Amino acid sequence: MQARLPNLVLLMSLLLTACGVAVPADKSDYVGEWNADGMSLLITQDGSVVYHRMKKGAKTSIDAPLKGFKGDDFEVGLGPMVTTFKVSSPPHKVGDQWMMTVDGVELTRR
């Protein structure tokens, strides 16, 4: 039984570090479904992130929790595997549309 205790502690710590965070109130404009030709990004209030991108015939997908924000950028991942999304233009209104530029792609929120 004692040999299992360190394994249990390790498993619990990995599970806790894998958990994401909710989108903070000051970043609530990020929440929603964002789209551009070849790219979609869904950010939910509870911190779930689903990303799909098709570029030069290669598809990239991420379905992971939000780890947090660093300025306008945000990090997504599980445990030590983290992807940073570079936001050069945070969510803002243009007329009646919400726009945001992530990793060089201008997205529109549905």
Side-chain angles (χ1 to χ4, degrees):
M1 181 69 174
Q2 283 185 334
R4 290 185 185 181
L5 187 56
N7 292 339
L8 182 61
V9 170
L10 178 62
L11 179 63
M12 293 301 290
S13 66
L14 286 173
L15 288 174
L16 288 174
T17 59
C19 295
V21 297
V23 175
D26 66 329
K27 299 292 187 182
S28 63
D29 289 343
Y30 285 74
V31 173
E33 185 176 347
W34 299 87
N35 293 284
D37 197 27
M39 183 172 165
S40 66
L41 175 65
L42 172 66
I43 303 172
T44 64
Q45 185 63 51
D46 70 358
S48 298
V49 178
V50 180
Y51 165 82
H52 298 284
R53 186 168 185 185
M54 181 68 78
K55 184 177 180 182
K56 296 183 181 178
K59 183 176 181 180
T60 303
S61 296
I62 298 173
D63 186 348
L66 177 69
K67 300 294 271 183
F69 283 85
K70 289 190 175 184
D72 292 330
D73 301 339
F74 57 97
E75 295 183 333
V76 174
L78 294 169
M81 297 183 298
V82 176
T83 297
T84 301
F85 288 85
K86 298 289 185 186
V87 179
S88 55
S89 180
H92 61 282
K93 267 192 140 177
V94 176
D96 61 348
Q97 293 284 325
W98 280 91
M99 309 293 286
M100 169 170 63
T101 305
V102 178
D103 293 339
V105 178
E106 188 174 59
L107 303 167
T108 303
R109 186 166 66 191
R110 285 192 196 186

